[in-house]
Amino acid sequence: MKAKTMFYCTACGNELPKWAGQCPACKAWNTIVEQPQESRRRGPSPGPEGHSAGSRPRPIAQVETARELRFETGMRELDRVLGGGAVQGSLVLVGGAPGIGKSTLMLQICEHLCRFAKVLYVSGEESERQIKLRADRLHVRGEQLYLQAETNLEDVVESVRELGPDVLIVDSIQTLYHGDLSAAPGSIGQVKDCTMALMQLAKGQGVTVFVIGHVNKEGSIAGPKVLEHMVDCVLYFEGEQQNSYRILRAAKNRFGATNEIGVFEMGDSGLREVPNPSEMLLSGRPQDTPGTCVTCVMEGVRPVLAEVQALLAPTSFNVPRRTANGFDFNRTNLLLAVLEKRGGLMVSSCDAYINVIGGLFLDEPAADLAMVIAMASSFRDRPVPGDLAAIGEVGLTGELRSVNALGQRLSEVHRLGFTKCLVPARISGKLDVPEGLQLIKVRNIREALAALL
Ligand code: TYD
Ligand code: MG
């Protein structure tokens, strides 16, 4: 009998009964691939807490609520992102580009974990010897740390049953495969199936599972987004090739908020926590120097701090020279015109050079205010206070307009060590201001300049 097959979209994970050129769900072209459907019949799938079929609806008042058990991983920055430590029996997916330091991070937390828990580190990427060498270099040792180079899921499940670890680390989900499926490791069917099996280990046996997943070029884990909805927590490990700093962010967390970030620095002896990231993200930022201001922009759903710099000097040309790096050129000219007309600074006779530090491109109006302030600061030759950030859109009449996700931006500004923030006076909706952050509310750029310079 011919095995019945299913089709999946490799971009979004959508399941289809037949092939199509375009995915009806995410509209991507040429992403549908065939996957043989499993012939074996498995028992009823377990519920979220490992309960199998036979559960009945219960009044909410009768549901027991044992508080989730948390333990620290020994990395404060990781604990913070997890919402105050790892939850026992949860499955955490750690995603990131190859070479960013996921294996290093996981191996390093073993040092702390294996003091009070039995840890099994399963790697399909490196041999036990390689992991041992790396562990030696990272000064990771411990009686209760077990290594296994394995790619077969059933063997991993068997090892967990025999060894009974409290924590299981799987490096990486793309190398794991289920023998019953004919699809290649890393394919969507395999990745889904293996994650499901690991989820059952977590919920059924109370093992805390960390799963490493490589992010491909499109920026999604294992090609599809399929894993995100299955697991309890999704963390992304990010960083630039040029510098050694790494940022850990939660994209999803069933046990905490997702607006915390963890910051690390990769060095000779592994990852080092950076307790005060404001210094790091804005490292080398000139203090008490005119022409620089910090703002917060949203990169997708994430707030990111950026430093904008401006250099204004009297021109010696007929037409002033203007350049903008990391900022829209036309917007630069517009803001200079507003600054002259509404702010009263004669900048039209100045050359203006604009730069955004860190290779970012700020295409969000929320960065306007910081840009105007950096320009004015350079023009007046007066520095902006170092612990101040500015967020707001500037209109043509010089008025300041509210921006979206202000609460999130303010927590990021506060989180990175700033104590003052310049914001538009009129804010729509209720705003949770982080404790310790002083808001300076201004209605237009004249008020902003008066408040600062
Ligand atoms: P790794 O954890 O293997 O990345 P991933 O598992 O995410 O693919 O980290 C690999 C990089 O980290 C590698 O390019 C070397 C660098 N590294 C250091 O700079 N210092 C160290 O102590 C270690 C262990 C790695
Ligand atoms: Mg690795």
Side-chain angles (χ1 to χ4, degrees):
M1 196 183 84
K2 192 171 167 291
K4 212 175 139 211
T5 61
M6 279 293 291
F7 294 85
Y8 290 91
C9 170
T10 53
C12 69
N14 186 29
E15 285 185 19
L16 302 163
K18 64 186 176 65
W19 189 85
Q22 185 187 27
C23 172
C26 70
K27 308 283 181 238
W29 287 94
N30 295 326
T31 54
I32 311 289
V33 294
E34 182 177 354
Q35 287 288 330
Q37 210 180 33
E38 311 126 60
S39 46
R40 74 206 138 90
R41 252 321 313 137
R42 281 191 240 137
S45 68
E49 294 298 335
H51 299 299
S52 48
S55 67
R56 309 196 134 269
R58 279 188 287 173
I60 188 168
Q62 289 177 17
V63 177
E64 322 75 61
T65 52
R67 261 188 74 77
E68 75 260 4
L69 287 172
R70 284 186 188 265
F71 57 89
E72 288 175 356
T73 61
M75 283 270 195
R76 295 273 264 311
E77 295 292 305
L78 175 60
D79 289 340
R80 187 205 312 279
V81 179
L82 288 170
V87 174
Q88 195 181 346
S90 66
L91 192 146
V92 179
L93 181 65
V94 182
I100 204 78
K102 302 179 294 295
S103 309
T104 309
L105 178 69
M106 287 297 116
L107 202 53
Q108 277 186 264
I109 63 170
C110 291
E111 163 72 13
H112 178 80
L113 291 180
C114 65
R115 285 184 203 155
F116 57 87
K118 204 186 266 186
V119 184
L120 174 60
Y121 188 108
V122 176
S123 179
E125 311 225 325
E126 291 158 303
S127 67
E128 284 142 16
R129 204 178 140 267
Q130 275 175 308
I131 304 169
K132 171 84 166 100
L133 283 174
R134 188 202 294 240
D136 283 345
R137 208 148 57 77
L138 297 171
H139 308 295
V140 175
R141 63 189 84 83
E143 300 266 296
Q144 299 203 82
L145 175 58
Y146 293 80
L147 302 180
Q148 187 180 8
E150 184 57 71
T151 53
N152 189 327
L153 177 74
E154 282 130 323
D155 290 348
V156 174
V157 174
E158 189 55 41
S159 306
V160 170
R161 199 166 298 132
E162 271 174 26
L163 187 68
D166 304 295
V167 179
L168 170 69
I169 296 172
V170 177
D171 184 5
S172 64
I173 190 71
Q174 277 95 352
T175 55
L176 214 56
Y177 75 95
H178 196 300
D180 287 2
L181 290 183
S182 55
S187 65
I188 178 151
Q190 287 284 10
V191 167
K192 258 172 110 172
D193 239 54
C194 294
T195 309
M196 195 65 90
L198 294 173
M199 199 70 184
Q200 285 175 14
L201 275 185
K203 300 304 169 197
Q205 302 190 29
V207 185
T208 309
V209 186
F210 289 90
V211 178
I212 292 177
H214 292 294
V215 168
N216 65 6
K217 280 200 202 78
E218 282 77 42
S220 49
I221 289 185
K225 285 271 206 186
V226 275
L227 300 185
E228 271 188 19
H229 72 268
M230 289 160 67
V231 304
D232 293 317
C233 189
V234 181
L235 309 182
Y236 283 102
F237 208 29
E238 301 170 345
E240 283 176 34
Q241 291 294 337
Q242 306 94 308
N243 67 34
S244 55
Y245 294 114
R246 305 281 183 268
I247 295 186
L248 191 67
R249 296 173 194 274
K252 166 184 177 179
N253 193 351
R254 283 188 182 149
F255 307 106
T258 53
N259 51 13
E260 291 284 1
I261 63 170
V263 184
F264 301 87
E265 184 180 6
M266 179 67 92
D268 293 338
S269 51
L271 290 160
R272 195 178 61 81
E273 293 179 81
V274 179
N276 190 355
S278 63
E279 282 169 21
M280 172 238 116
L281 275 176
L282 308 165
S283 61
R285 191 160 70 97
Q287 294 293 318
D288 290 329
T289 311
T292 157
C293 186
V294 170
T295 188
C296 183
V297 291
M298 302 297 291
E299 293 278 324
V301 294
R302 305 162 184 161
V304 174
L305 285 205
E307 180 193 349
V308 295
Q309 293 190 338
L311 178 68
L312 273 69
T315 185
S316 48
F317 304 98
N318 286 337
V319 180
R321 275 179 65 95
R322 264 132 203 221
T323 66
N325 183 17
F327 203 81
D328 184 61
F329 182 71
N330 292 327
R331 189 114 194 128
T332 302
N333 283 330
L334 183 148
L335 292 177
L336 282 165
V338 173
L339 188 57
E340 168 143 351
K341 190 88 176 165
R342 309 292 172 199
L345 305 186
M346 291 301 138
V347 293
S348 60
S349 58
C350 286
D351 290 338
Y353 306 96
I354 305 300
N355 188 28
V356 177
I357 304 294
L360 286 178
F361 190 91
L362 307 187
D363 49 4
E364 232 201 328
D368 288 353
L369 182 58
M371 183 54 75
V372 166
I373 287 172
M375 289 167 174
S377 159
S378 174
F379 181 80
R380 288 257 190 93
D381 229 8
R382 302 268 291 276
V384 176
D387 58 350
L388 177 133
I391 301 168
E393 178 180 354
V394 174
L396 286 186
T397 68
E399 88 277 16
L400 284 185
R401 301 181 152 266
S402 183
V403 299
N404 65 338
L406 189 57
Q408 245 178 302
R409 295 180 206 247
L410 290 179
S411 8
E412 183 82 344
V413 164
H414 176 63
R415 157 91 179 85
L416 292 180
F418 288 79
T419 58
K420 285 180 244 156
C421 191
L422 212 56
V423 293
R426 260 206 275 164
I427 294 162
S428 48
K430 196 179 156 292
L431 185 65
D432 284 330
V433 183
E435 209 174 311
L437 183 70
Q438 182 200 346
L439 289 195
I440 306 173
K441 297 188 176 180
V442 286
R443 276 174 299 176
N444 49 49
I445 60 172
R446 252 182 206 277
E447 284 188 14
L449 299 184
L452 287 186
L453 303 168

